[in-house]
Amino acid sequence: SQLLWLLTPCRLMRCIRCPLAYHMGDSCVAAGSVILTHHIMICSSHGSAKRNGLLTSPINVGWCFMCARGGKLLCCDSCPASFHPECLEMEMPEGAWSCSDCRAGKKPHYKQIVWVKLGNYRWWPAEICNPRLVPSNIQSLRHDIGDFPVFFFGSHDYYWINQGRVFPYVENDKNFVTGQININKTFKKALEEAARRFQELKAQRESREALEQERNSRKPPPYKFIKSNKPVGKVQMHIADLSEIPRCNCKPTDEHPCSIDSQCLNRMLQYECHPQVCPAGELCENQCFTKQLYAETEVIKTEGRGWGLRTNQALRKGDFVNEYVGEVIDSEECQQRIKRAHENHVTNFYMLTLTKDRVIDAGPKGNFSRFVNHSCSPNCETQKWTVNGDVRIGLFALCDIEAGTELTFNYNLHCVGNRRTSCHCGSENCSGFLGVQPTKEEKARNAKLKPKKRKLRPEGKHTHEYFCFCCGEGGELVMCDRKDCPKAYHLLCLNLTKPPYGRWECPWHDCSVCGAAASSLCDFCPRSFCQDHGAGALSASSLEGRPCCSSHNPLSPLCSNSSSNELHRSAPSPVRVKEEPETELGQESSE
């Protein structure tokens, strides 16, 4: 297109009579185009419609291009193609008609093997030649825009021809024609030479494609680098008034005010301080998003997982690594992009859920964080922070990380549809799949492929959930110390300003009415009841009979308006698989 030519003029040739443009080279430029300069031409579409004062028309073949049988045929008005209307599943049209290739602008190109109709001769195999490479006496023959020279196999003659008298030669055409009768020696020789030349050109094309693929593998696929989120369409970005931004209790005299090691309330609640509100002012160390205090990283090529990101500096547990930025789109646009990707067989996604109705898509635009791969044993995690009134996503170190280590995080992937994608993270506890939990048989099959190791677990240690049981959000959480209880909570949801000291048990184990030891618990929120108050307080839900309290609809307990609704859990989770953290994110696929 003309727009593409304007963006990359050094690589394209444009037509001075229409917006058409081609990459330079015989494999792209339409045969019959007149080259004026290195970057300007007149394309083959501007040839004269008359020859010797008479209107020209193509010579159509007498068989259907789809079923190879004769009969009542629909002929293209631009090339020799013919079809049975029933083969195209259409009625015979009235007036002029062009085949799909001609409507799409498909043209013959140089170094292409074609069948040519010349005079009363049969359809003959030939190669389209660049006019600059044919003998001078052939170049001087009369011809028009849109005409191109062809070299006939067998006879080794040249002639000028146009698109209306040629159609592409395809592999095994020789075998199809050889079965016909009345084949003379010259035509038989032509078939042999055409088949041989076709294979030579095919090998050259495959070699070029392999070289181009190898060259492209040295650098990541193209995307636009941006430093901050860009809203798309009707998506709104929120900006808080200074009076709405919370003020922490740090002091400018502190050694490191608002740092990781401080007791900054904003940091605990994952709010970034504002320099005009924070008591520490410019000394505040809780402004990583605003000041873009990113770790020094580098995009690398990984083994079997495409592109990845590694740190070039040592990181401590809790350090801010990078912000995940991209285009901020709504749910409708997200679904449309996923649908288009599926239609075009795109398997890499860069989408992260920002809020209930907003998604970050770092595919077309983003920064280095888009290259972070998935791992079932990650060294980083995503956290949602409130920055100047709006939610933003950052990558934070889960542990101490040495310089030169690849950065990873768990995509917590949610698959769209019934597709599942294999995980290639290589972790000892790798689940084997992204998005869809494998069956017992698949887990057993994956276990056989890995060396068996005896795992020693610390006594009494158990896994906690990564979401607050009250609000369903992720972030910095307080864990329940009761044996086998997986629940975790935000300090704010517990009405606490500091983490509790010593052993702490969550309110789920105390009766919500009297505070006594609970004997019946709601599976969908922290409400619970003792023996005295438990009668009729809970009912069986439609989800495997799990008990739920009156705050939930038993028929759809996850879809209630309760703040504990599990569907409202909006910890950063890619919408789908990337195989570069390309997902509604996904692990980057091997290239």
Side-chain angles (χ1 to χ4, degrees):
S1 68
Q2 192 172 29
L3 175 60
L4 183 58
W5 178 85
L6 291 171
L7 293 174
T8 55
C10 60
R11 296 184 59 192
L12 294 174
M13 301 180 66
R14 73 177 181 93
C15 178
I16 61 174
R17 296 185 181 179
C18 69
L20 200 65
Y22 294 105
H23 287 115
M24 292 184 290
D26 290 347
S27 60
C28 288
V29 175
S33 302
V34 178
I35 308 303
L36 303 178
T37 70
H38 287 299
H39 304 303
I40 298 177
M41 66 175 180
I42 301 175
C43 73
S44 59
S45 301
H46 303 288
S48 174
K50 292 185 178 182
R51 301 294 168 95
N52 300 322
L54 301 175
L55 288 173
T56 61
S57 60
I59 307 295
N60 295 94
V61 300
W63 65 89
C64 174
F65 261 33
M66 298 188 71
C67 69
R69 293 194 296 268
K72 187 177 180 180
L73 298 170
L74 172 60
C75 298
C76 177
D77 291 326
S78 303
C79 75
S82 299
F83 302 90
H84 291 123
E86 55 269 25
C87 288
L88 296 176
E89 299 181 352
M90 60 179 291
E91 299 291 333
M92 184 70 75
E94 296 181 1
W97 179 84
S98 294
C99 67
S100 58
D101 283 350
C102 292
R103 290 197 301 270
K106 190 173 182 179
K107 301 281 188 180
H109 56 80
Y110 300 121
K111 288 188 178 181
Q112 181 180 7
I113 309 302
V114 293
W115 292 98
V116 180
K117 182 66 174 176
L118 182 61
N120 293 325
Y121 289 97
R122 66 187 304 162
W123 287 96
W124 201 279
E127 179 180 349
I128 301 177
C129 303
N130 191 312
R132 296 181 288 103
L133 304 179
V134 300
S136 56
N137 61 319
I138 304 299
Q139 294 182 26
S140 61
L141 292 177
R142 183 177 179 180
H143 59 276
D144 191 14
I145 298 173
D147 291 346
F148 45 83
V150 293
F151 172 77
F152 289 99
F153 294 108
S155 66
H156 296 178
D157 294 325
Y158 289 91
Y159 200 82
W160 287 87
I161 211 77
N162 60 63
Q163 182 182 0
R165 290 175 176 263
V166 302
F167 69 88
Y169 176 104
V170 297
E171 200 163 8
N172 298 324
D173 268 0
K174 171 182 174 294
N175 299 336
F176 176 75
V177 179
T178 303
Q180 300 179 6
I181 60 176
N182 300 327
I183 297 180
N184 58 33
K185 291 183 178 179
T186 305
F187 186 61
K188 185 176 181 180
K189 180 182 177 182
L191 293 177
E192 297 288 346
E193 292 179 354
R196 189 163 53 248
R197 180 59 174 162
F198 182 86
Q199 293 300 326
E200 290 177 4
L201 293 174
K202 180 182 177 182
Q204 292 176 12
R205 183 175 65 255
E206 290 175 348
S207 177
R208 286 196 305 271
E209 290 173 353
L211 182 62
E212 183 69 18
Q213 185 176 3
E214 193 277 332
R215 186 182 297 115
N216 290 337
S217 67
R218 299 174 188 170
K219 58 182 180 180
Y223 72 99
K224 183 175 181 180
F225 186 90
I226 57 176
K227 295 182 178 180
S228 59
N229 288 327
K230 304 297 180 184
V232 175
K234 300 179 182 179
V235 173
Q236 297 293 322
M237 306 295 284
H238 310 297
I239 301 178
D241 188 83
L242 289 181
S243 61
E244 300 173 351
I245 297 176
R247 178 186 178 93
C248 69
N249 56 356
C250 298
K251 301 176 182 178
T253 56
D254 294 344
E255 187 174 356
H256 292 285
C258 307
S259 66
I260 298 177
D261 301 322
S262 69
Q263 296 297 316
C264 178
L265 287 176
N266 280 355
R267 181 178 284 275
M268 291 180 183
L269 299 176
Q270 296 183 183
Y271 277 88
E272 185 168 282
C273 295
H274 193 285
Q276 298 181 25
V277 176
C278 180
E282 292 297 326
L283 299 176
C284 173
E285 297 185 16
N286 183 27
Q287 299 176 29
C288 297
F289 286 86
T290 303
K291 295 181 178 180
Q292 297 182 355
L293 303 178
Y294 303 153
E296 184 180 339
T297 57
E298 177 184 7
V299 178
I300 59 170
K301 192 67 180 292
T302 66
E303 288 291 335
R305 292 178 295 120
W307 297 93
L309 190 71
R310 74 179 176 198
T311 176
N312 289 336
Q313 68 179 68
L315 298 171
R316 292 190 309 154
K317 179 180 179 180
D319 277 352
F320 178 62
V321 178
N322 208 331
E323 180 183 1
Y324 195 90
V325 303
E327 292 183 324
V328 182
I329 58 178
D330 57 23
S331 301
E332 182 179 354
E333 175 67 16
C334 175
Q335 294 302 320
Q336 291 178 354
R337 292 190 179 190
I338 293 173
K339 181 180 178 181
R340 288 195 296 268
H342 287 168
E343 292 172 350
N344 296 316
H345 307 289
V346 175
T347 57
N348 293 331
F349 293 81
Y350 299 81
M351 298 180 183
L352 277 178
T353 303
L354 182 62
T355 58
K356 182 177 64 174
D357 53 356
R358 292 186 299 168
V359 174
I360 297 178
D361 184 5
K365 300 177 182 179
N367 61 8
F368 287 165
S369 62
R370 70 197 292 277
F371 292 105
V372 181
N373 275 320
H374 163 84
S375 176
C376 296
S377 297
N379 53 21
C380 294
E381 66 175 350
T382 53
Q383 295 180 7
K384 288 185 178 180
W385 282 61
T386 303
V387 182
N388 201 20
D390 204 355
V391 179
R392 287 157 75 168
I393 295 177
L395 284 168
F396 292 82
L398 274 174
C399 58
D400 293 342
I401 306 174
E402 297 181 358
T405 304
E406 183 186 356
L407 300 173
T408 58
F409 74 97
N410 192 318
Y411 289 166
N412 293 320
L413 187 69
H414 166 65
C415 267
V416 176
N418 295 321
R419 305 184 183 189
R420 66 178 66 193
T421 302
S422 298
C423 178
H424 305 288
C425 71
S427 302
E428 290 184 2
N429 66 334
C430 179
S431 63
F433 293 91
L434 285 171
V436 179
Q437 290 297 322
T439 63
K440 293 181 179 179
E441 293 77 10
E442 290 169 334
K443 288 181 178 179
R445 193 182 310 122
N446 291 335
K448 292 179 180 179
L449 300 177
K450 299 178 182 178
K452 295 183 179 180
K453 294 184 178 180
R454 183 179 299 273
K455 296 184 179 179
L456 301 177
R457 298 183 180 274
E459 191 70 25
K461 185 174 182 180
H462 58 275
T463 303
H464 285 87
E465 294 176 352
Y466 296 99
F467 309 94
C468 176
F469 194 36
C470 289
C471 67
E473 295 284 338
E476 193 164 330
L477 304 170
V478 178
M479 312 296 181
C480 178
D481 291 326
R482 189 184 182 105
K483 185 178 180 180
D484 298 330
C485 178
K487 303 306 178 184
Y489 304 81
H490 290 127
L491 287 174
L492 189 62
C493 293
L494 297 170
N495 294 321
L496 298 177
T497 58
K498 293 183 179 182
Y501 292 99
R503 179 179 175 81
W504 175 79
E505 293 186 359
C506 69
W508 197 33
H509 309 291
D510 299 326
C511 177
S512 301
V513 179
C514 65
S519 59
S520 53
L521 317 173
C522 176
D523 260 18
F524 304 96
C525 72
R527 296 191 69 190
S528 56
F529 305 91
C530 63
Q531 290 183 350
D532 294 336
H533 298 100
L538 299 178
S539 57
S541 70
S542 60
L543 294 180
E544 302 176 347
R546 293 164 59 187
C548 65
C549 65
S550 58
S551 300
H552 311 279
N553 181 354
L555 298 178
S556 54
L558 294 180
C559 299
S560 69
N561 295 324
S562 169
S563 62
S564 64
N565 187 341
E566 289 187 355
L567 288 185
H568 291 178
R569 293 179 177 179
S570 55
S573 61
V575 188
R576 232 212 78 89
V577 156
K578 159 183 143 197
E579 307 248 82
E580 282 181 13
E582 302 179 71
T583 73
E584 253 183 324
L585 213 81
Q587 175 170 325
E588 177 172 279
S589 57
S590 58
E591 299 181 4

